Amino acid sequence: MDDMAEAERLARMPSRLLAQAAAAAGRIVGDGLAAAGAHRYQYAVLATLAELGPASQAELSRRTGLDRSDMVATVGALEGEGSVARAVDAGDRRRNVVSLTDAGVSRLAALDAALAPLQERVLAPLAPEERATLVRLLQVLAGHHGRRWS
Amino acid sequence: MDDMAEAERLARMPSRLLAQAAAAAGRIVGDGLAAAGAHRYQYAVLATLAELGPASQAELSRRTGLDRSDMVATVGALEGEGSVARAVDAGDRRRNVVSLTDAGVSRLAALDAALAPLQERVLAPLAPEERATLVRLLQVLAGHHGRRWS
DNA sequence: CTAATTTCAGTTTAACTGATATCA
DNA sequence: CTGATATCAGTTTAACTGAAATTA
């Protein structure tokens, strides 16, 4: 019973559509960042530092959703290319204070410039109002499921 | 310049929102299918067979987006549990004809029943019209980026 | 003592690649 | 000969786990 309603079950399944769209978007953005010599994780950390100002690795992990373990390597790579500085926090010696350097600010601007047309490609088939609606709905979903606290 | 517009760049970036929402949905659905003893790949194959009828592994790969190589293992697992039958195609002996068994039809119904409340959980924070809109927009995106031909 | 932070070493798994054998 | 199919063996990488050392 209900065969017609289930005929396109896969094509209408939210989890599957999300996975497909995310995979396509991830490939476009991942390839673009790779061409710029960066990793998705690195962009996330640079952008978060630009918003927050200097922060510990644990705080960056919380904000970006990256694992504490991967954060070590990511901050290490950014430090290695001169985009961030890493120093022991004088007020709490367990922490590193990670901060953007001038080179990091430039690096972030370059990556932002590289990313803009890629996000445009991701959303290409949608009209402007549809893009805004999609972003809003995804924010609701991400916000809802992102709360490990609450 | 344009600092305010970029203040929440990460929180508004489509590729990132898609990745976050897809990861949350994938975890919910993946855990649920695992609890039912199935893999996401297996559900995709069962559902596709229910729509198409008997099909070759190559055809199933095209429809589901699964790699031909992973399809071998997936069909093998489904055959092992008795959900599908696999036979050499008499008309084209390169092909296997994969078809749903009666047990496979039941298995699919059970997985569908298990999945319904999980999709509900994924979309929980959205109103009914919002859910329909999201599905529609994601279908446009998936359809656009899914075309390797054209 | 408990809890947070950083770091390292290792695991798991999805997704993919390349090669081979078979057949149209 | 070319191209499609099924299969196998192996690679890559994102994401995660567990434990140690340090400090609050």
Side-chain angles (χ1 to χ4, degrees):
Chain A
M1 66 276 316
D2 210 3
D3 282 350
M4 288 192 49
E6 297 197 350
E8 293 182 344
R9 72 190 108 193
L10 265 184
R12 292 191 286 98
M13 185 166 290
S15 61
R16 178 160 234 266
L17 290 167
L18 282 168
Q20 287 180 210
R27 196 168 291 198
I28 289 170
V29 169
D31 288 355
L33 284 174
H39 189 277
R40 182 163 60 84
Y41 288 4
Q42 297 178 18
Y43 177 78
V45 169
L46 291 176
T48 302
L49 286 172
E51 288 182 25
L52 282 189
S56 72
Q57 292 177 197
E59 178 67 11
L60 289 171
S61 287
R62 271 175 236 118
R63 297 279 185 151
T64 59
L66 301 190
D67 192 86
R68 72 205 187 291
S69 184
D70 299 314
M71 186 58 67
V72 174
T74 301
V75 171
L78 291 172
E79 185 185 30
E81 71 179 23
S83 293
V84 306
R86 191 193 230 165
V88 174
D89 186 331
D92 182 344
R93 299 179 44 76
R94 294 171 302 183
R95 295 179 174 166
N96 288 336
V97 178
V98 181
S99 49
L100 272 183
T101 61
D102 288 349
V105 172
S106 300
R107 177 68 164 151
L108 177 57
L111 293 179
D112 271 323
L115 279 172
L118 299 176
Q119 299 296 331
E120 162 66 31
R121 272 185 57 201
V122 168
L123 299 178
L126 301 182
E129 331 88 68
E130 290 177 323
R131 298 178 186 198
T133 300
L134 178 68
V135 166
R136 182 178 65 79
L137 296 177
L138 290 174
Q139 282 176 327
V140 171
L141 283 190
H144 178 80
H145 294 294
R147 278 163 207 154
R148 314 220 187 289
W149 66 96
S150 106
Chain B
M1 68 270 325
D2 211 3
D3 283 349
M4 286 191 52
E6 297 195 348
E8 291 180 347
R9 72 191 108 195
L10 265 184
R12 292 191 286 98
M13 186 167 289
S15 61
R16 177 159 234 266
L17 289 167
L18 282 167
Q20 287 180 210
R27 195 168 294 198
I28 290 169
V29 169
D31 287 356
L33 284 174
H39 189 277
R40 181 163 60 83
Y41 288 3
Q42 297 179 17
Y43 176 78
V45 169
L46 292 176
T48 302
L49 285 172
E51 289 181 24
L52 282 189
S56 71
Q57 291 177 198
E59 179 67 11
L60 289 170
S61 288
R62 270 174 237 119
R63 296 278 186 154
T64 59
L66 300 190
D67 192 84
R68 73 207 188 289
S69 183
D70 300 313
M71 187 58 69
V72 174
T74 301
V75 171
L78 290 172
E79 185 185 31
E81 71 179 25
S83 293
V84 306
R86 191 193 229 167
V88 174
D89 185 331
D92 182 344
R93 299 178 43 76
R94 294 171 303 182
R95 295 181 174 163
N96 287 337
V97 177
V98 182
S99 49
L100 272 182
T101 61
D102 288 348
V105 172
S106 300
R107 176 68 164 149
L108 176 57
L111 293 180
D112 271 323
L115 279 172
L118 299 177
Q119 300 294 332
E120 162 65 30
R121 272 184 58 201
V122 167
L123 299 178
L126 301 182
E129 331 90 65
E130 289 177 322
R131 298 180 186 198
T133 300
L134 179 68
V135 166
R136 182 178 65 80
L137 296 177
L138 290 174
Q139 282 175 326
V140 172
L141 283 189
H144 177 80
H145 294 294
R147 278 162 207 157
R148 314 217 187 292
W149 65 95
S150 102

